[in-house]
Amino acid sequence: EKMNSTMSEEPDALSVVNQLRDLAADPLNRRAIVQDQGCLPGLILFLDHPSPPVVHSALLALRYLAECRANREKMKSELGMMLSLQNVIQKTTTPGETKLLASEVYDILQSSNMSDMDNVNEMNYRRRKAQFFLGSTNKRAKTVVLHIDGLDDSSRRNLCEEALLKIKGVISFTFQMAVQRCVVRIRSDLKAEALATAIASTKVMKAQQVVKSESGEEMLVPFQDTPVEVEQNTDLPEYLPEDESPSKEQDKAVSRVGSHPEGAGSWLSTAANFLSRSFYW
């Protein structure tokens, strides 16, 4: 009840950061968001926000923005960026998925201007350090590639995103609209079937898993039609180095379906305007 009347008329932090996340999900908006004066500093402030969903949503937005190689240097040098990411990783109260997502963003930015060899060494060093921070309570993350029948426009993508965000254990996801795919990073104690169940719950989409055969050919494997109960498995090895994620060359494969960059511009200025006023009260 202490909230003053002027604040209640403004959008709350979660709705603003969620809209930024949704804008960042579209590859056509990623350069504009990073070039904007207010958005990046605003997202960095959100990383210190007391509400865990706000922090996680801000990290998802940064994860999208970092997918565009041209953004990485600016993001890395932005005041407070790397420090805030480290704070999220080191804070004891940060949920496990959020720590993993923060260390993923940190790794991408940290290695943005290195040669491939330095890159590999640095990544391994960062992982060992992250493992030290994360401690044994964190389970290893794994990557699941889904082929989603019906994923053919931005409203379907939003449905899919909402369904995935509800699952405990989902760290991040990247859409490859041109090929109807979604690359999902999940904690290793989460069964991939849970993702299929969530996507089937949209009633308009269905997921199959993309796996590689021994000869390196990709195959689609259907999930069982029986919905799974997600059980938490507790005795798994701790967070270990991950093979390189398949979403590296993503920017090139993403389609332009349902993009409205011109609409994004006006929304960006609204977001930046809100972000420039402090949301601490």
Side-chain angles (χ1 to χ4, degrees):
E1 290 302 319
K2 273 190 284 191
M3 203 157 124
N4 64 39
S5 57
T6 54
M7 274 308 296
S8 59
E9 289 153 26
E10 295 199 337
D12 66 318
L14 188 61
S15 66
V16 170
V17 77
N18 282 348
Q19 289 194 52
L20 266 176
R21 180 200 69 207
D22 293 345
L23 281 173
D26 186 335
L28 289 183
N29 296 334
R30 288 173 188 163
R31 297 287 289 271
I33 292 173
V34 168
Q35 296 309 315
D36 185 271
Q37 294 301 303
C39 286
L40 219 47
L43 283 169
I44 293 170
L45 283 176
F46 279 135
L47 294 179
D48 293 325
H49 199 276
S51 156
V54 169
V55 175
H56 196 83
S57 192
L59 282 165
L60 279 170
L62 291 170
R63 175 73 181 75
Y64 279 131
L65 297 175
E67 255 173 51
C68 171
R69 283 169 186 274
N71 281 342
R72 291 175 190 171
E73 274 306 299
K74 179 156 185 356
M75 289 176 71
K76 183 182 173 181
S77 59
E78 189 71 39
L79 188 68
M81 172 72 78
M82 301 308 269
L83 203 61
S84 295
L85 288 170
Q86 273 184 315
N87 287 342
V88 174
I89 296 167
Q90 292 170 35
K91 215 183 268 175
T92 49
T93 52
T94 305
E97 288 89 338
T98 306
K99 284 190 182 195
L100 285 168
L101 179 53
S103 52
E104 205 170 272
V105 175
Y106 190 103
D107 277 356
I108 292 169
L109 298 183
Q110 186 62 31
S111 58
S112 61
N113 57 358
M114 299 182 183
S115 73
D116 284 349
M117 204 50 233
D118 288 347
N119 199 340
V120 170
N121 292 339
E122 174 69 17
M123 283 283 205
N124 288 340
Y125 168 70
R126 291 286 337 140
R127 286 219 173 84
R128 282 200 301 279
K129 210 165 166 189
Q131 194 174 336
F132 170 74
F133 290 136
L134 295 169
S136 58
T137 52
N138 272 279
K139 308 294 179 266
R140 177 178 177 164
K142 62 186 177 186
T143 301
V144 179
V145 182
L146 302 174
H147 181 274
I148 301 174
D149 294 313
L151 179 65
D152 43 28
D153 63 24
S154 55
S155 67
R156 291 279 175 93
R157 183 185 65 201
N158 291 346
L159 272 179
C160 199
E161 199 165 56
E162 278 169 31
L164 291 172
L165 281 169
K166 287 182 185 141
I167 307 172
K168 187 168 167 44
V170 168
I171 298 165
S172 65
F173 38 77
T174 306
F175 290 95
Q176 299 173 329
M177 296 295 287
V179 286
Q180 291 189 303
R181 283 189 182 179
C182 182
V183 180
V184 192
R185 297 267 292 149
I186 59 176
R187 305 244 323 234
S188 60
D189 49 0
L190 179 65
K191 289 191 168 71
E193 283 80 7
L195 306 177
T197 304
I199 286 161
S201 74
T202 63
K203 303 280 193 286
V204 288
M205 289 175 282
K206 197 173 175 205
Q208 292 174 287
Q209 190 167 359
V210 181
V211 293
K212 278 206 164 111
S213 67
E214 285 177 15
S215 61
E217 297 212 14
E218 290 190 348
M219 303 183 304
L220 291 184
V221 180
F223 290 100
Q224 282 78 27
D225 279 340
T226 49
V228 291
E229 284 300 312
V230 182
E231 51 187 2
Q232 292 297 318
N233 188 355
T234 47
D235 48 321
L236 273 149
E238 49 187 72
Y239 180 67
L240 295 168
E242 169 66 348
D243 301 333
E244 71 176 281
S245 159
S247 59
K248 233 167 82 180
E249 290 302 307
Q250 262 263 168
D251 267 349
K252 298 170 188 164
V254 186
S255 86
R256 319 203 150 213
V257 177
S259 302
H260 300 291
E262 66 284 355
S266 59
W267 199 88
L268 273 180
S269 58
T270 315
N273 185 24
F274 169 69
L275 292 170
S276 64
R277 296 195 289 281
S278 171
F279 41 73
Y280 296 107
W281 60 88

